[in-house]
Amino acid sequence: MEKILEVKDLQLSFHTFAGEVQAIRGVNFDLLKGETLAIVGESGSGKSVTTKAIMRLLPESSSEFKSGEILFNGKDLTKLSDKEMQKIRGKDISMIFQDPMTSLNPTMTIGRQITEPLLKHQKVGKTQAKKVAIDLLRMVGMPKPELRIKQYPHQFSGGQRQRIVIAIALACNPQILIADEPTTALDVTIQAQILELMKDLQKKIDTSIIFITHDLGVVANVADRVAVMYGGRIVEMGTVDEIFYNPQHPYTWGLLSSMPSLDTAEEKLYAIPGTPPDLLDPPKGDAFALRSEYALAIDLEQAPPVFKVSDTHFAATWLLHPDAPEVDPPLSIIERMKKFPGSRYYEGVAR
Amino acid sequence: MAEKLLEIKNLKQYFNQGKPNEVRAVDDISFDIYKGETLGLVGESGCGKSTTGRSIIRLYNATAGEVKFDGVNVHGKKSKSDLKIFNRKMQMIFQDPYASLNPRMKVMDIIAEGLDIHGLTKSAKERKDRVHELLETVGLNKEHANRYPHEFSGGQRQRLGIARALAVDPEFIIADEPISALDVSIQAQVVNLLKELQEEKGLTYLFIAHDLSMVKYISDRIGVMYFGKLVELAPAEELYNNPLHPYTQSLLSAIPLPDPNYERTRVRKSYDPASHNYKDGEEIAMREVTPGHFVFCSEREFEALKLTSAARV
């Protein structure tokens, strides 16, 4: 598969009054054409900052690219001028934000907001742009689009507004769509509709999607591959099956165990103890070591390198080092691993 | 059967009553809450679940119907001292941990506000000790008492909200989406804390949420609301294994689970209120299909549901 975006050793800091916040500390990943990559992690893990860095939406006065590059079709986005970036943003790479209530302009009709990227990036006239806008609204499932493009955001419900935001993001058939928690503010029924819509549209226009969320149910639903972020780094990355049925990093174990499942009635929910690391003064070794019962002595000394589990599956934990003791993951994780051929707990018949 | 702590009878909460823009946020619902249980209330936004909670605790004056707490009606005229007694028994934890704490008050004063109002502590030292004790109960430490809310993370703030609710030793707590604004890993911490406190202090909860997997985990019984009506009420396991109302079925089929194989085969049902084909004059009410499992349905649907349930057993 063709790589459309490559992020290589990205490091980014914010300068604040309290000092330098090392928000991203060496992030590497590729995005393939037509795939959905989900980035999961808790608040402050750097998932939103990573995508905002790709879109170059971070304030230049306080943020600084320390090193690394973001290659999009061979161009390094970190080195582009504002003018050059404006030609890419909203056209080749577009973004859907978390909160549909605040990401639309309340003083503009939605028709104007949808035609804005069309008029800016494509050589179309006003009447043509309006036609496209109506088609887009129809595509995202809005009834009576001819009438509704004259209305203002407050006349729409939350789910409808998110559909409008999606329509705007898709107006120029972008190659990459970044969705930053697009369904977190919505109800489950509306969320299911929006996710189905995004998957349909992806098939139609073959966009690659970077999907940020902390809801693992949503990840299981939409993702082809998953990157788990913690403390400004990607700690584990693999296909959706590898992450859900053969997770290797203790943080991934914790995340998966802290979601209650509908079919079992556990007595006590597993909660990851403690709080996320302070990136003003990031820990020397593995950032998760202080919250992990699986931490080894070396975790406090030295950050783990990335170990390869399979051709598509990588994890940064010392537990994968040949010299590391063999540990048993939590019970609920072993239950998951039983379903994964190639895991040492696999209980099926080997093919 | 356990003792009833709260009886809600034909509760109605209309806004803009009599005007063209009248909203029937809660439209004639009845249910009981038993001592020591957790009743979950779910439904999509705008279905009236938060309004129900707020009407129960008298943040709104109910349009009609009654809420009986330990046999005494919550609504209606009350003297100041009666109201005070009632306010001590019932407390609320709010959804947004950022908006529900006064940014200009220190944690000490936020938590002690209830103590002061009810005159529960006699000296400044006793007040301080009580606050420290409460902070420790919710997993914070006493150094936190001299800080302001902005110095805390979302999960810690929600713990402060819980400590404030616990300060006056309530019997009943309404938790209105207490975890929606928190991260997954922190959600588990707060839910575990609520469960521990319930065991320790014998609290009764009304847990309002739209995250159905968490609700199932914490609740003994669950009520499902749709457009101001309670459409189904059943023990948690029963509701998930055997949802009877088509709206509940559609709601359950929409939950994504952290299991890719399940997700690949999940079929979502959608709910169309017109599918009931209610005729004029048909009485639609909560009817008990199997013991403890109530469904909002007509006589005709009731008979059909009873048949299918009998066949299932």
Side-chain angles (χ1 to χ4, degrees):
Chain A
M1 278 256 248
E2 199 186 329
K3 284 178 193 171
I4 188 158
L5 185 81
E6 284 176 76
V7 177
K8 286 184 183 163
D9 188 37
L10 185 69
Q11 292 187 30
L12 190 140
S13 291
F14 291 103
H15 296 285
T16 65
F17 288 117
E20 182 187 333
V21 178
Q22 300 174 34
I24 304 181
R25 306 185 298 144
V27 161
N28 290 288
F29 67 88
D30 302 327
L31 182 68
L32 306 177
K33 199 162 170 49
E35 76 162 347
T36 301
L37 172 73
I39 303 182
V40 294
E42 54 200 332
S43 330
S45 61
K47 52 193 198 305
S48 286
V49 176
T50 305
T51 52
K52 282 189 178 151
I54 296 170
M55 284 290 270
R56 290 271 303 275
L57 285 175
L58 297 167
E60 276 183 15
S61 52
S62 60
S63 64
E64 184 195 349
F65 284 108
K66 303 288 275 191
S67 76
E69 47 190 12
I70 302 169
L71 294 176
F72 170 69
N73 288 340
K75 265 183 280 185
D76 185 358
L77 297 184
T78 62
K79 303 233 159 49
L80 293 187
S81 70
D82 283 353
K83 268 255 165 65
E84 288 168 314
M85 196 58 216
Q86 277 169 15
K87 285 185 190 145
I88 291 174
R89 200 187 288 133
K91 178 167 173 272
D92 297 320
I93 309 178
S94 61
M95 191 155 179
I96 302 171
F97 294 92
Q98 174 171 4
D99 189 354
M101 300 297 164
T102 54
S103 55
L104 289 170
N105 186 334
T107 67
M108 276 163 80
T109 62
I110 63 149
R112 263 188 76 193
Q113 297 189 57
I114 300 174
T115 51
E116 199 180 9
L118 291 166
L119 296 171
K120 185 153 176 64
H121 293 299
Q122 292 178 344
K123 291 194 179 84
V124 292
K126 268 192 176 165
T127 34
Q128 178 62 22
K130 195 176 153 191
K131 263 191 201 144
V132 178
I134 291 171
D135 288 343
L136 281 165
L137 279 179
R138 196 171 287 127
M139 189 169 80
V140 297
M142 181 79 68
K144 294 186 199 151
E146 304 82 12
L147 298 174
R148 304 225 68 173
I149 58 164
K150 291 176 202 146
Q151 295 184 329
Y152 289 88
H154 72 267
Q155 291 166 293
F156 295 84
S157 70
Q160 285 177 326
R161 283 188 224 189
Q162 200 59 299
R163 284 167 195 264
I164 295 167
V165 174
I166 293 175
I168 297 172
L170 295 178
C172 298
N173 293 334
Q175 301 180 46
I176 300 175
L177 178 65
I178 298 173
D180 189 353
E181 311 223 7
T183 58
T184 307
L186 306 174
D187 283 318
V188 275
T189 41
I190 313 292
Q191 165 173 292
Q193 290 170 15
I194 297 284
L195 294 179
E196 277 164 26
L197 171 71
M198 286 180 70
K199 278 195 273 188
D200 279 355
L201 296 176
Q202 184 178 29
K203 268 186 216 139
K204 268 185 211 156
I205 59 176
D206 203 25
T207 321
S208 308
I209 298 181
I210 299 179
F211 200 107
I212 301 177
T213 180
H214 60 248
D215 186 334
L216 293 167
V218 173
V219 174
N221 182 287
V222 298
D224 299 308
R225 289 194 303 144
V226 183
V228 182
M229 281 195 82
Y230 186 81
R233 289 198 174 116
I234 292 179
V235 295
E236 185 160 7
M237 184 154 181
T239 64
V240 68
D241 283 339
E242 285 165 337
I243 297 295
F244 279 89
Y245 299 130
N246 192 29
Q248 299 295 324
H249 198 283
Y251 178 64
T252 317
W253 295 346
L255 267 188
L256 285 168
S257 318
S258 61
M259 292 269 293
S261 61
L262 284 178
D263 43 320
T264 54
E266 303 100 308
E267 265 307 292
K268 199 174 153 106
L269 207 54
Y270 177 79
I272 301 173
T275 48
D278 180 5
L279 295 177
L280 266 174
D281 180 23
K284 194 162 58 156
D286 184 351
F288 188 58
L290 291 174
R291 296 172 75 185
S292 168
E293 53 190 298
Y294 297 96
L296 308 170
I298 190 167
D299 275 320
L300 302 172
E301 296 295 321
Q302 202 180 334
V306 175
F307 292 94
K308 186 171 157 181
V309 184
S310 76
D311 283 343
T312 48
H313 189 180
F314 302 89
T317 166
W318 284 115
L319 291 176
L320 290 170
H321 192 271
D323 296 341
E326 193 154 300
V327 295
D328 281 325
L331 277 179
S332 66
I333 298 299
I334 293 180
E335 282 303 313
R336 286 175 174 277
M337 288 178 163
K338 283 178 182 169
K339 298 177 193 162
F340 191 79
S343 146
R344 63 191 153 107
Y345 299 98
Y346 182 54
E347 278 189 346
V349 187
R351 261 178 282 175
Chain B
M1 203 68 194
E3 209 181 325
K4 281 179 194 172
L5 182 69
L6 210 69
E7 277 178 80
I8 290 121
K9 276 191 195 154
N10 305 97
L11 182 71
K12 290 181 190 170
Q13 183 71 59
Y14 296 175
F15 297 108
N16 304 322
Q17 209 185 356
K19 293 185 193 148
N21 59 345
E22 181 180 276
V23 176
R24 300 185 169 189
V26 177
D27 199 5
D28 197 359
I29 65 172
S30 304
F31 57 92
D32 299 328
I33 301 177
Y34 298 103
K35 229 170 213 161
E37 79 163 346
T38 302
L39 180 75
L41 207 52
V42 297
E44 49 197 294
S45 25
C47 73
K49 54 190 195 301
S50 287
T51 309
T52 305
R54 287 168 161 261
S55 298
I56 289 174
I57 202 171
R58 213 185 147 137
L59 280 175
Y60 300 132
N61 284 318
T63 311
E66 55 182 17
V67 177
K68 275 189 176 167
F69 186 88
D70 261 342
V72 184
N73 193 5
V74 169
H75 290 274
K77 238 179 181 170
K78 270 194 159 59
S79 70
K80 248 191 177 162
S81 55
D82 282 349
L83 198 59
K84 224 169 160 181
I85 295 170
F86 157 74
N87 282 345
R88 240 192 99 178
K89 291 184 184 158
M90 214 191 273
Q91 285 288 314
M92 190 148 177
I93 301 166
F94 295 92
Q95 173 172 11
D96 186 347
Y98 294 89
S100 58
L101 301 174
N102 187 337
R104 307 209 290 185
M105 277 164 84
K106 280 188 179 167
V107 166
M108 170 73 86
D109 300 314
I110 290 175
I111 294 176
E113 200 173 6
L115 300 174
D116 299 342
I117 289 170
H118 295 283
L120 298 180
T121 48
K122 285 175 194 74
S123 64
K125 186 177 175 298
E126 204 185 324
R127 180 176 184 262
K128 202 167 88 186
D129 289 346
R130 177 80 181 127
V131 171
H132 289 170
E133 187 192 317
L134 284 162
L135 282 173
E136 270 159 26
T137 314
V138 297
L140 299 169
N141 56 46
K142 53 185 178 191
E143 281 77 46
H144 289 130
N146 291 321
R147 297 197 193 165
Y148 286 95
H150 74 261
E151 296 174 74
F152 294 88
S153 67
Q156 286 176 319
R157 283 179 202 226
Q158 208 50 295
R159 286 168 191 268
L160 292 177
I162 295 171
R164 174 174 63 182
L166 290 175
V168 294
D169 280 326
E171 292 169 37
F172 176 60
I173 292 183
I174 298 176
D176 187 1
E177 310 225 12
I179 52 168
S180 309
L182 307 175
D183 263 328
V184 192
S185 66
I186 310 295
Q187 282 186 356
Q189 292 179 4
V190 172
V191 165
N192 281 340
L193 173 67
L194 285 170
K195 267 203 149 175
E196 279 164 31
L197 290 170
Q198 181 170 40
E199 276 161 34
E200 248 170 61
K201 300 176 191 288
L203 293 167
T204 307
Y205 291 136
L206 176 66
F207 192 89
I208 301 169
H210 66 253
D211 177 349
L212 290 123
S213 43
M214 246 347 153
V215 171
K216 181 195 170 224
Y217 173 71
I218 195 169
S219 306
D220 301 304
R221 294 189 304 144
I222 297 176
V224 182
M225 282 188 76
Y226 181 72
F227 271 91
K229 300 265 190 202
L230 195 62
V231 295
E232 189 159 358
L233 179 68
E237 283 292 326
E238 168 77 8
L239 187 88
Y240 278 84
N241 296 334
N242 187 26
L244 294 177
H245 196 279
Y247 177 68
T248 314
Q249 291 170 357
S250 96
L251 201 61
L252 286 175
S253 74
I255 313 173
L257 295 185
D259 186 338
N261 286 337
Y262 169 84
E263 283 301 311
R264 279 177 204 127
T265 53
R266 177 162 64 94
V267 185
R268 186 165 67 85
K269 287 187 183 174
S270 51
Y271 173 60
D272 178 11
S275 67
H276 293 289
N277 282 321
Y278 290 132
K279 295 185 189 72
D280 285 342
E282 258 187 304
E283 197 201 349
I284 310 153
M286 287 300 270
R287 295 167 207 269
E288 192 166 8
V289 178
T290 54
H293 193 155
F294 297 84
V295 182
F296 188 68
C297 59
S298 65
E299 192 67 44
R300 180 169 49 90
E301 287 174 313
F302 179 55
E303 295 304 327
L305 286 175
K306 268 207 295 201
L307 280 178
T308 50
S309 300
R312 203 175 64 96
V313 179

